[in-house]
mmCIF file of all heavy atoms in Angstrom:
data_model
loop_
_atom_site.group_PDB
_atom_site.id
_atom_site.type_symbol
_atom_site.label_atom_id
_atom_site.label_comp_id
_atom_site.label_asym_id
_atom_site.label_seq_id
_atom_site.Cartn_x
_atom_site.Cartn_y
_atom_site.Cartn_z
ATOM 1 N N CYS A 141 -148.302 337.722 268.954
ATOM 2 C CA CYS A 141 -148.485 337.260 267.545
ATOM 3 C C CYS A 141 -148.347 338.371 266.548
ATOM 4 O O CYS A 141 -147.968 338.144 265.390
ATOM 5 C CB CYS A 141 -149.763 336.476 267.379
ATOM 6 S SG CYS A 141 -149.824 334.929 268.324
ATOM 7 N N ILE A 142 -148.651 339.569 266.968
ATOM 8 C CA ILE A 142 -148.438 340.800 266.105
ATOM 9 C C ILE A 142 -146.936 341.072 266.073
ATOM 10 O O ILE A 142 -146.342 341.400 265.031
ATOM 11 C CB ILE A 142 -149.240 341.998 266.603
ATOM 12 C CG1 ILE A 142 -150.746 341.735 266.471
ATOM 13 C CG2 ILE A 142 -148.811 343.259 265.900
ATOM 14 C CD1 ILE A 142 -151.625 342.758 267.120
ATOM 15 N N MET A 143 -146.262 341.007 267.237
ATOM 16 C CA MET A 143 -144.862 341.319 267.355
ATOM 17 C C MET A 143 -143.945 340.327 266.714
ATOM 18 O O MET A 143 -143.014 340.661 265.967
ATOM 19 C CB MET A 143 -144.480 341.475 268.821
ATOM 20 C CG MET A 143 -143.099 341.991 269.070
ATOM 21 S SD MET A 143 -142.730 342.198 270.805
ATOM 22 C CE MET A 143 -142.342 340.602 271.258
ATOM 23 N N ARG A 144 -144.158 339.063 267.024
ATOM 24 C CA ARG A 144 -143.426 337.926 266.521
ATOM 25 C C ARG A 144 -141.934 337.917 267.049
ATOM 26 O O ARG A 144 -141.534 338.830 267.676
ATOM 27 C CB ARG A 144 -143.389 337.882 265.022
ATOM 28 C CG ARG A 144 -144.795 337.620 264.358
ATOM 29 C CD ARG A 144 -144.604 337.631 262.869
ATOM 30 N NE ARG A 144 -145.805 337.075 262.221
ATOM 31 C CZ ARG A 144 -145.925 336.990 260.849
ATOM 32 N NH1 ARG A 144 -144.940 337.389 260.099
ATOM 33 N NH2 ARG A 144 -147.002 336.535 260.371
ATOM 34 N N GLY A 145 -141.256 336.817 266.724
ATOM 35 C CA GLY A 145 -139.845 336.688 267.074
ATOM 36 C C GLY A 145 -139.626 335.988 268.323
ATOM 37 O O GLY A 145 -140.347 335.046 268.666
ATOM 38 N N THR A 146 -138.576 336.372 269.075
ATOM 39 C CA THR A 146 -138.217 335.791 270.379
ATOM 40 C C THR A 146 -138.522 336.802 271.433
ATOM 41 O O THR A 146 -138.085 337.951 271.352
ATOM 42 C CB THR A 146 -136.749 335.416 270.379
ATOM 43 O OG1 THR A 146 -136.377 334.683 269.232
ATOM 44 C CG2 THR A 146 -136.396 334.565 271.567
ATOM 45 N N ALA A 147 -139.329 336.421 272.453
ATOM 46 C CA ALA A 147 -139.736 337.370 273.424
ATOM 47 C C ALA A 147 -139.982 336.756 274.763
ATOM 48 O O ALA A 147 -140.308 335.524 274.883
ATOM 49 C CB ALA A 147 -141.012 338.120 272.948
ATOM 50 N N LEU A 148 -139.806 337.531 275.852
ATOM 51 C CA LEU A 148 -140.171 337.165 277.207
ATOM 52 C C LEU A 148 -141.597 337.695 277.482
ATOM 53 O O LEU A 148 -141.780 338.872 277.302
ATOM 54 C CB LEU A 148 -139.190 337.686 278.206
ATOM 55 C CG LEU A 148 -139.559 337.467 279.718
ATOM 56 C CD1 LEU A 148 -139.584 335.981 280.068
ATOM 57 C CD2 LEU A 148 -138.609 338.260 280.632
ATOM 58 N N ALA A 149 -142.496 336.823 277.848
ATOM 59 C CA ALA A 149 -143.853 337.245 278.198
ATOM 60 C C ALA A 149 -144.040 337.084 279.690
ATOM 61 O O ALA A 149 -143.729 336.008 280.230
ATOM 62 C CB ALA A 149 -144.907 336.411 277.446
ATOM 63 N N GLU A 150 -144.556 338.164 280.335
ATOM 64 C CA GLU A 150 -144.741 338.095 281.775
ATOM 65 C C GLU A 150 -146.186 338.601 282.096
ATOM 66 O O GLU A 150 -146.935 338.833 281.179
ATOM 67 C CB GLU A 150 -143.697 338.973 282.467
ATOM 68 C CG GLU A 150 -142.267 338.475 282.303
ATOM 69 C CD GLU A 150 -141.258 339.360 282.888
ATOM 70 O OE1 GLU A 150 -140.976 340.441 282.343
ATOM 71 O OE2 GLU A 150 -140.666 338.997 283.974
ATOM 72 N N GLY A 151 -146.524 338.726 283.372
ATOM 73 C CA GLY A 151 -147.858 339.072 283.745
ATOM 74 C C GLY A 151 -148.770 337.856 283.445
ATOM 75 O O GLY A 151 -148.404 336.739 283.830
ATOM 76 N N ILE A 152 -149.882 338.140 282.766
ATOM 77 C CA ILE A 152 -150.732 337.016 282.286
ATOM 78 C C ILE A 152 -150.381 336.673 280.850
ATOM 79 O O ILE A 152 -151.121 335.976 280.202
ATOM 80 C CB ILE A 152 -152.220 337.330 282.413
ATOM 81 C CG1 ILE A 152 -152.606 338.532 281.549
ATOM 82 C CG2 ILE A 152 -152.571 337.501 283.890
ATOM 83 C CD1 ILE A 152 -154.112 338.711 281.429
ATOM 84 N N GLY A 153 -149.225 337.169 280.388
ATOM 85 C CA GLY A 153 -148.734 336.896 279.024
ATOM 86 C C GLY A 153 -148.673 338.083 278.156
ATOM 87 O O GLY A 153 -148.226 338.051 277.031
ATOM 88 N N GLU A 154 -149.215 339.261 278.689
ATOM 89 C CA GLU A 154 -149.374 340.413 277.906
ATOM 90 C C GLU A 154 -148.209 341.364 278.030
ATOM 91 O O GLU A 154 -148.064 342.323 277.119
ATOM 92 C CB GLU A 154 -150.697 341.167 278.257
ATOM 93 C CG GLU A 154 -150.551 342.102 279.425
ATOM 94 C CD GLU A 154 -150.418 341.484 280.833
ATOM 95 O OE1 GLU A 154 -150.257 340.268 280.908
ATOM 96 O OE2 GLU A 154 -150.423 342.259 281.791
ATOM 97 N N LYS A 155 -147.274 341.208 278.988
ATOM 98 C CA LYS A 155 -146.144 342.070 279.157
ATOM 99 C C LYS A 155 -144.985 341.494 278.403
ATOM 100 O O LYS A 155 -144.438 340.450 278.786
ATOM 101 C CB LYS A 155 -145.759 342.254 280.626
ATOM 102 C CG LYS A 155 -146.890 342.928 281.459
ATOM 103 C CD LYS A 155 -146.487 342.942 282.941
ATOM 104 C CE LYS A 155 -147.606 343.551 283.785
ATOM 105 N NZ LYS A 155 -147.280 343.531 285.240
#
Side-chain angles (χ1 to χ4, degrees):
C141 292
I142 293 170
M143 187 177 82
R144 294 180 168 180
T146 312
L148 173 66
E150 297 176 287
I152 61 169
E154 86 289 4
K155 298 177 183 176

